[in-house]
Amino acid sequence: MEAEPPLYPVAGAAGPQGDEDRLGVPDGPEAPLDELVGAYPNYNEEEEERRYYRRKRLGVLKNVLAASAGGMLTYGVYLGLLQMQLILHYDETYREVKYGNMGLPDIDSKMLMGINVTPIAALLYTPVLIRFFGTKWMMFLAVGIYALFVSTNYWERYYTLVPSAVALGMAIVPLWASMGNYITRMAQKYYEYSHYKEQDEQGPQQRPPRGSHAPYLLVFQAIFYSFFHLSFACAQLPMIYFLNHYLYDLNHTLFNVQNCGTNSQGILLGFNKTVLRTLPRSRNLIVVESVLMAVAFLAMLLVLGLCGAAYRPTEEIDLRSVGWGNIFQLPFKHVRDFRLRHLVPFFIYSGFEVLFACTGLALGYGVCSVGLERLAYLLVAYSLGASASSALGLLGLWLPRPVPLVAGAGLHLLLTLSLFFWAPKPRTLQHIWILYTVAVLWGVGSALNKTGISTLLGILYEDKERQDFIFTIYHWWQAVAIFTVYLGSSLPMKPRTCGWSRSCGEAWSHASPASRGPNTKCAATATWRRTTPTRAKRRASAAAAEVAAGGTARRRRCRPRGHDPARNQPFSIAGPVPTNRLREAMGRRSSEGPSVISGLGLTRLRSGSL
């Protein structure tokens, strides 16, 4: 019986026909070259091309998810740390025990100034940074600056917090402008990889049809803002799992609060200065800050390792071939576009509505009525409502594209009118379901607003090779809106100051000329006391002045004009004025600020109402 030949002949062995195989083709060194390096006989070029572009599309989806997750973690860590830091620094017991006379409120005000004021100049330097670093590396650098801000909270001093806050303010507009352009660019690339056959037929220089990538852009922007709005919920995790265990309940913190909502003359007037039952240990604070720092570092790794390049190297080189002067002028040239001019009110409103959700709604209505311990849950409701409603941006696939944008603004208008006529009672929990409902609906409007604007910008300016500068203008106007609110909330004089109120003015008008204020020396002394930072420094400087003048170290009391030396008490129509009350009014820490202290100390002294 003849043995069957092997399926795969042994290399170098002679076949049944000598040096030829069964097909009659020479084997060994005389074999033709095509048999060794030629194409695989079962190779399907069309199938391999399809698999290649499928991998490319999956890579684009990976880029979108990584950028969205990185932005969510970065913004969530920033908001959570800032919220916890401001609550701790608000408590005067925490300030005095842990930081003494370091001036922590002044450091916080300078820090907020750096965060809110610095982005005003972003229109000048953002194009230059994007031209120098590119889109992806600009995102990585900005996320790193956010992580730097988190790291400085390990050692809270003026020279650490304030410079990092200024750097953070500089990174706000470049980060979100690069993020918006990155998502838009990924939608364009996904269209190219999905319609690669049409691209081959049209040629590499032929632009795709206008509006062709709009469906992919709507989906990607919905994904991005679903992640982004979850950052507000992530920011509440330190509050829920750590800080809430140290807070007083609403009966203590809201004891002096009389009005909320539309009846209030400000935000949280009369809120207690002590909100912490016990002070958190430094070890626990370090653990929380370390977790936040690790999350910020994870966001950096996501952007660095998982986000691919937005543009090909040749496209980046084309951008860098543009002169610095032209790059600097690009945003200002785009500002003149009539489409952007019509969208500017929506840009400004986009900054206002997020700020109102975090301050006016959450503080003026939420904390003022149901307490600080429920602030985190209100913001979680807003976050989840906005994240889930980001999918409503897909309505642009079937409806006219401005419809979601206008619908979000209309919903916010209805809620604003409703809130204008509602004043919840302090320390009352019966209407908490109304607050949660309003927070969720406000989140729905925010989602429609954000997805509508970003999608509309990506569609209107798809003919531009770069959209970095379009999104720079958008986020710059947002920063201008937030700066306007910050500027209005930090004015030095308030209308409620007693020195300019009607009652104090009447008391001043009815007072006699002899009791309308101290003499020249007393006025100088009052000004000196008001401008001196602390009582201890006043005493030390007064003692040093007395010793230098050759007198005793005892400070001479200064009495108002009209003082009767024989009776040893000042003369006033409204009655005797205790002189020690002025010193107490000037030295104590009042919750109403310097203007109210001056009103209480000087105006009431003149009217004799102390």
Side-chain angles (χ1 to χ4, degrees):
M1 183 175 179
E2 185 178 358
E4 295 182 0
L7 182 61
Y8 297 101
V10 180
Q17 298 180 2
D19 289 340
E20 296 182 357
D21 60 6
R22 288 178 300 173
L23 300 177
V25 180
D27 194 8
E30 298 180 358
L33 187 62
D34 291 341
E35 290 294 323
L36 300 176
V37 299
Y40 184 69
N42 296 328
Y43 177 76
N44 189 338
E45 182 178 359
E46 184 177 355
E47 179 66 18
E48 290 298 325
E49 188 178 30
R50 186 183 64 82
R51 292 178 180 178
Y52 170 77
Y53 282 104
R54 184 180 63 181
R55 290 193 299 268
K56 286 290 187 179
R57 291 195 298 270
L58 291 177
V60 170
L61 290 177
K62 179 259 299 179
N63 295 339
V64 172
L65 293 176
S68 304
M72 176 194 70
L73 295 178
T74 301
Y75 202 60
V77 166
Y78 159 68
L79 287 181
L81 178 65
L82 190 63
Q83 178 180 337
M84 184 179 71
Q85 181 186 47
L86 292 178
I87 291 176
L88 290 174
H89 293 180
Y90 176 82
D91 189 273
E92 62 180 10
T93 305
Y94 179 88
R95 296 198 307 263
E96 292 178 0
V97 171
K98 291 212 167 188
Y99 294 95
N101 59 353
M102 196 178 68
L104 208 56
D106 180 65
I107 295 177
D108 287 342
S109 64
K110 296 293 192 302
M111 182 183 67
L112 292 176
M113 183 184 299
I115 294 174
N116 292 307
V117 177
T118 310
I120 298 300
L123 206 61
L124 304 177
Y125 59 80
T126 300
V128 177
L129 292 179
I130 293 177
R131 180 219 188 258
F132 187 79
F133 292 105
T135 302
K136 176 192 172 179
W137 292 104
M138 186 68 252
M139 291 164 50
F140 175 72
L141 177 64
V143 173
I145 292 176
Y146 273 80
L148 173 66
F149 176 77
V150 176
S151 67
T152 55
N153 284 266
Y154 283 107
W155 186 251
E156 295 179 324
R157 294 295 184 269
Y158 184 90
Y159 53 84
T160 59
L161 292 178
V162 176
S164 65
V166 173
L168 177 65
M170 293 183 64
I172 289 175
V173 175
L175 171 64
W176 301 113
S178 300
M179 283 281 187
N181 178 67
Y182 189 82
I183 300 299
T184 304
R185 179 58 184 161
M186 289 300 108
Q188 295 174 352
K189 294 180 75 171
Y190 196 90
Y191 171 81
E192 294 175 4
Y193 297 148
S194 299
H195 300 80
Y196 58 92
K197 293 183 179 179
E198 300 175 7
Q199 296 289 328
D200 294 339
E201 295 175 0
Q202 294 175 357
Q205 302 298 328
Q206 186 70 24
R207 289 182 177 272
R210 186 170 184 83
S212 56
H213 76 291
Y216 307 106
L217 181 61
L218 285 167
V219 175
F220 287 176
Q221 291 291 353
I223 293 174
F224 174 76
Y225 280 106
S226 296
F227 278 87
F228 172 77
H229 286 112
L230 281 178
S231 63
F232 292 90
C234 296
Q236 306 311 311
L237 296 181
M239 187 87 174
I240 294 174
Y241 292 105
F242 174 69
L243 198 57
N244 274 358
H245 302 297
Y246 299 93
L247 294 177
Y248 275 114
D249 61 354
L250 72 164
N251 292 321
H252 174 82
T253 54
L254 303 177
F255 183 77
N256 293 322
V257 176
Q258 303 299 327
N259 298 307
C260 293
T262 187
N263 289 340
S264 179
Q265 301 297 323
I267 296 180
L268 294 179
L269 291 180
F271 197 72
N272 206 312
K273 280 294 185 180
T274 55
V275 297
L276 299 176
R277 291 185 292 106
T278 57
L279 300 183
R281 294 179 177 272
S282 299
R283 181 188 305 171
N284 297 337
L285 289 174
I286 291 175
V287 170
V288 174
E289 291 169 359
S290 300
V291 172
L292 295 176
M293 186 65 205
V295 175
F297 188 69
L298 176 62
M300 293 179 62
L301 292 181
L302 283 177
V303 175
L304 178 63
L306 296 183
C307 290
Y311 294 91
R312 301 181 182 90
T314 54
E315 294 172 332
E316 295 286 359
I317 293 174
D318 291 341
L319 176 66
R320 289 171 183 169
S321 63
V322 181
W324 290 100
N326 292 331
I327 289 290
F328 180 80
Q329 296 173 8
L330 275 177
F332 300 97
K333 291 180 179 178
H334 288 314
V335 167
R336 297 180 295 178
D337 193 332
F338 74 96
R339 296 172 292 184
L340 276 182
R341 290 202 300 267
H342 287 106
L343 287 174
V344 162
F346 286 97
F347 298 164
I348 298 175
Y349 167 71
S350 180
F352 280 149
E353 58 94 4
V354 175
L355 202 60
F356 175 77
C358 297
T359 56
L361 179 60
L363 298 181
Y365 284 86
V367 175
C368 184
S369 58
V370 298
L372 186 62
E373 63 271 21
R374 292 172 181 83
L375 170 64
Y377 302 104
L378 284 174
L379 291 177
V380 167
Y382 165 78
S383 173
L384 296 180
S387 179
S389 302
S390 296
L392 295 177
L394 299 179
L395 293 175
L397 294 173
W398 303 281
L399 299 177
R401 294 188 182 101
V403 169
L405 184 61
V406 177
L411 179 59
H412 281 169
L413 180 61
L414 293 177
L415 291 174
T416 304
L417 293 177
S418 302
L419 292 174
F420 185 76
F421 295 102
W422 183 48
K425 294 181 180 179
R427 303 179 297 278
T428 304
L429 300 179
Q430 284 79 7
H431 53 259
I432 190 171
W433 64 273
I434 302 178
L435 291 172
Y436 283 124
T437 304
V438 172
V440 171
L441 291 178
W442 197 274
V444 173
S446 297
L448 292 174
N449 179 272
K450 295 292 188 299
T451 54
I453 290 179
S454 299
T455 304
L456 202 58
L457 287 178
I459 294 173
L460 290 178
Y461 293 94
E462 65 178 344
D463 55 334
K464 304 290 184 182
E465 294 183 358
R466 306 283 300 214
Q467 277 103 15
D468 307 79
F469 313 114
I470 305 298
F471 285 96
T472 297
I473 297 170
Y474 165 39
H475 292 286
W476 180 75
W477 277 112
Q478 275 189 329
V480 169
I482 295 174
F483 167 74
T484 304
V485 176
Y486 168 78
L487 190 65
S489 63
S490 60
L491 291 177
M493 297 298 293
K494 303 291 183 182
R496 62 178 182 270
T497 304
C498 183
W500 297 100
S501 65
R502 181 178 178 182
S503 59
C504 293
E506 291 176 352
W508 166 262
S509 62
H510 292 300
S512 63
S515 62
R516 285 188 180 176
N519 54 23
T520 306
K521 186 180 292 185
C522 288
T525 306
T527 304
W528 167 66
R529 288 175 180 170
R530 187 170 64 253
T531 55
T532 307
T534 60
R535 186 183 299 178
K537 290 184 179 181
R538 286 203 307 270
R539 290 176 179 174
S541 58
E546 291 288 342
V547 172
T552 62
R554 183 179 180 182
R555 184 171 56 192
R556 182 173 62 88
R557 292 183 178 179
C558 198
R559 303 186 184 276
R561 193 184 339 181
H563 171 254
D564 188 358
R567 299 171 60 180
N568 196 25
Q569 57 179 338
F571 173 78
S572 175
I573 290 179
V577 181
T579 56
N580 288 335
R581 295 292 299 276
L582 173 62
R583 188 178 298 109
E584 293 174 4
M586 292 300 174
R588 72 188 180 200
R589 294 182 179 178
S590 173
S591 63
E592 296 295 335
S595 60
V596 178
I597 292 177
S598 62
L600 289 173
L602 294 180
T603 311
R604 286 190 175 181
L605 175 65
R606 295 171 181 172
S607 63
S609 59
L610 278 175

